[in-house]
Amino acid sequence: MSTLNVSNITDGTTTVGTEFVVNGSAKAWCSFNQKTPEILDSINTSSLTDSSQGKGDLNWTSAMSNRLYTAPSQSIYVSSSTAYCVTLCDAETYQNRTVSKWYFRNVYSSSSSTSFFDPDMGQVTITGDLA
């Protein structure tokens, strides 16, 4: 394997330090269907586990350096007849994430009910340092 060692990258107009590219890039991301369950597309994601209705975890192929990485996420659910709110959230309160596993919960809330649900599409992006 070859190693490229540079301090800046340029497109001919703008120059940026490689520390911003290396440290500011997503280290993993995943788009998944929890109903099936299946990974639709991803980088650095080895598997999806569907634990129960609206609950699961994603495993990273290459581990993070610590468990303090960020995990902005969203789930997509559409209804033409019902006002609702959906949330794909980090389950850190219930299960401690590890350097190689992120636990999540999907919650559906309308004016009449709140429950866990399996979305057609959930998405998460992981930022932090790889081990």
Side-chain angles (χ1 to χ4, degrees), residues 11 15 22 27 30-31 34 42 71 106 110 124:
D11 64 2
T15 300
V22 172
K27 302 307 185 289
C30 184
S31 178
Q34 194 179 0
S42 71
N106 281 293
S110 69
V124 63

Side-chain angles (χ1 to χ4, degrees), residues 52-122:
S52 63
Q53 184 80 11
K55 301 175 184 179
D57 61 73
L58 294 168
N59 292 281
W60 313 131
T61 306
S62 297
M64 303 300 291
S65 63
N66 60 53
R67 50 183 288 287
L68 302 176
Y69 52 87
T70 62
S73 56
Q74 68 176 2
S75 59
I76 299 168
Y77 179 77
V78 177
S79 170
S80 59
S81 60
T82 305
Y84 62 88
C85 176
V86 295
T87 302
L88 170 63
C89 58
D90 192 326
E92 179 70 18
T93 304
Y94 309 103
Q95 292 176 288
N96 289 334
R97 71 170 72 159
T98 69
V99 295
S100 59
K101 184 178 287 197
W102 179 71
Y103 297 94
F104 62 85
R105 301 286 186 266
N106 281 293
V107 180
Y108 169 95
S109 183
S110 69
S111 60
S112 60
S113 68
T114 299
S115 63
F116 291 112
F117 81 104
D118 290 344
D120 293 331
M121 184 178 290

Side-chain angles (χ1 to χ4, degrees), residues 32-50:
F32 62 93
N33 179 331
Q34 194 179 0
K35 286 183 180 179
T36 317
E38 68 179 313
I39 293 174
L40 303 172
D41 202 359
S42 71
I43 289 179
N44 194 27
T45 307
S46 60
S47 65
L48 162 66
T49 303
D50 185 9

